[in-house]
């Protein structure tokens, strides 16, 4: 039976949460997090804390002494913030990066919700990574989070393709510490794609290729995509990238990165507030915002 009592907020006094990054002015997190706070009747303000690198220490210090409940952390501070915190949980320790800070009893605790958010987004596609041959294109921060998350699910093979091959090799080396050994780091070239893409069940774009304003390009030649593949593009602006469109046209199951963005944010919301996030509302808010912002595809 439905509970007719109004839901009690775990955060009863006014407080602030912010996103720390540089540059971070164009972050979408304030849009959907503020909508979620409003929906759940939380007296919270979500702010953008544009933080030049030499100000990181003072921004983190100010979180200790004020009515601040926590933060999101984005580029370029996901790693450098760690020594400034009191502790990090297992999710952040595994990846060596923090995207969410929670203040609890005066302590600043780092978490990483990117990997969980990504795995949930894959699960929406009806995909379980266990036993799959998966290619991640990219070896930057996002690729790193999802590679660690995937390695916990024992795919049969994880191919890491990056423009700078050395970065792909380094990522593969650090994954070995998780006792997952089936990685193949390769250079991201036409020839290597031709060789490796047809062997894959799952393709993941973790580069910025295809992102607005260069929204008319794709990291993978269309003809290499097979109808039985799953394609996940971390790019979410445009909502449907050229890669996603072409993959769907070739019969593959494909989606863009908005679901990961919302799910990592939903986990952060719950860490700060202790209550479930209104995920559908967060998604609808951000879809409407992006659609209203710019006509971001050319067709
Ligand atoms: P990052 O750390 O700067 O890494 C960028 C990656 O893209 C590197 O691997 C880089 O290769 C590669 N790259 C960039 N331009 C390229 C090009 N023209 N050709 C080939 N490779 C290229 O960035 P990040 O944080 O990992 O983000 C990567 C993408 O994921 C961005 O589009 C970001 O918006 C998206 N993202 C989405 C979510 C989500 O929730 N959906 C979360 C995080 C990030 P090199 O190493 O060779 O430079």
């Amino acid at each position: 039976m439905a509970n007719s009592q109004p839901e009690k907020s775990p955060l009863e006094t006014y407080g602030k949460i912010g996103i720390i990054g540089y540059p971070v002015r164009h972050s979408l997190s304030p849009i959907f997090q503020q909508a979620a706070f409003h929906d759940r009747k939380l007296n919270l303000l979500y702010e953008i804390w544009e933080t030049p690198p030499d100000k990181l220490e003072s921004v983190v210090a100010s979180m200790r002494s004020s009515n601040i409940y926590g933060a999101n952390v984005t580029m370029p501070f996901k790693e450098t913030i760690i020594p400034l915190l009191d502790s990090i949980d297992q999710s952040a320790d595994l990846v060596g990066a923090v995207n969410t800070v929670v203040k609890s009893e005066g302590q600043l605790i780092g978490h990483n919700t990117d990997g969980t958010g990504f795995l949930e987004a894959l699960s929406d596609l009806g995909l379980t990574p266990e036993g799959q041959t998966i290619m991640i294109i990219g070896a930057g921060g996002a690729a790193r989070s999802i590679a660690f998350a995937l390695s916990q699910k024992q795919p049969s093979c994880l191919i890491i393709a990056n423009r700078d091959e050395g970065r792909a090799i380094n990522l593969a080396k650090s994954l070995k510490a998780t006792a997952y050994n089936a990685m193949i780091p390769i250079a991201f070239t036409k020839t290597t794609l031709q060789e490796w893409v047809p062997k894959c069940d799952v393709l993941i774009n973790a580069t910025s290729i295809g992102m607005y304003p260069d929204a008319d390009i794709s990291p993978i030649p269309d003809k290499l995509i097979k109808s039985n593949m799953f394609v996940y593009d971390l790019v979410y602006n445009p909502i449907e990238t050229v890669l996603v469109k072409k993959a769907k046209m070739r019969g593959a199951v494909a989606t863009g990165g908005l679901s990961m963005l919302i799910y990592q944010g939903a986990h952060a919301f719950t860490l700060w507030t202790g209550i479930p996030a209104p995920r559908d509302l967060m998604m609808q808010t951000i879809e409407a915002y992006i659609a209203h912002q710019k006509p971001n595809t050319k067709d």
Side-chain angles (χ1 to χ4, degrees), residues 75 138-142 162-164 167 188 206-209 211 234-236 257 260-261:
M75 298 291 290
N162 199 47
R163 182 175 58 179
D164 173 349
R167 263 183 118 183
F188 172 73
T207 73
S208 46
I209 301 172
M211 188 166 81
L234 265 72
V235 174
Y236 48 77
M260 176 181 167
L261 179 75

Side-chain angles (χ1 to χ4, degrees), residues 105-185:
E105 296 172 357
Q107 301 281 294
L108 297 178
I109 302 159
H111 303 255
N112 192 316
T113 66
D114 282 334
T116 322
F118 171 73
L119 291 178
E120 285 181 3
L122 281 194
S123 151
D124 272 1
L125 291 180
L127 175 65
T128 42
E130 287 83 352
Q132 309 276 5
T133 299
I134 301 178
M135 178 185 282
I136 300 174
I137 304 171
R144 193 178 164 82
S145 290
I146 66 178
F148 274 90
L150 286 168
S151 73
Q152 305 291 293
K153 298 290 174 188
Q154 296 301 318
S156 82
C157 178
L158 210 48
I159 301 155
I160 301 164
N162 199 47
R163 182 175 58 179
D164 173 349
E165 190 181 4
R167 263 183 118 183
I169 293 170
N170 285 341
L171 176 52
K173 275 186 192 154
S174 47
L175 278 169
K176 278 200 176 165
T178 68
Y180 178 75
N181 286 306
M183 285 93 49
I184 303 177

Side-chain angles (χ1 to χ4, degrees), residues 137 190 193-194 197-198 203 209 216-229 231 241-252 299:
I137 304 171
K190 249 187 195 167
L193 289 182
Q194 267 163 8
V197 170
L203 299 173
I209 301 172
D216 52 359
I217 50 174
S218 164
I220 298 167
D222 312 347
K223 63 177 187 327
L224 297 181
I225 301 172
K226 295 179 293 181
S227 61
N228 59 352
M229 284 178 171
V231 177
T241 59
V242 169
L243 171 62
V244 171
K245 276 188 192 156
K246 300 284 184 184
K248 282 182 178 171
M249 281 164 66
R250 292 185 65 83
D299 50 350

Side-chain angles (χ1 to χ4, degrees), residues 19 26-40 46 72 99 113 236 257-269 272 277-290:
I19 181 160
H26 301 296
S27 169
L28 295 177
S29 294
I31 312 289
F32 63 81
Q33 292 291 7
Q34 193 62 60
F37 295 156
H38 182 74
D39 180 76
R40 307 311 302 222
Y46 192 102
N72 278 132
N99 80 333
T113 66
Y236 48 77
L258 217 48
S259 48
M260 176 181 167
L261 179 75
I262 295 300
Y263 295 163
Q264 62 77 30
H267 280 286
F269 177 101
W272 297 319
R279 291 176 172 222
D280 289 348
L281 172 116
M282 292 161 94
M283 181 64 89
Q284 287 153 12
T285 303
I286 209 64
E287 280 175 349
Y289 178 83
I290 291 175

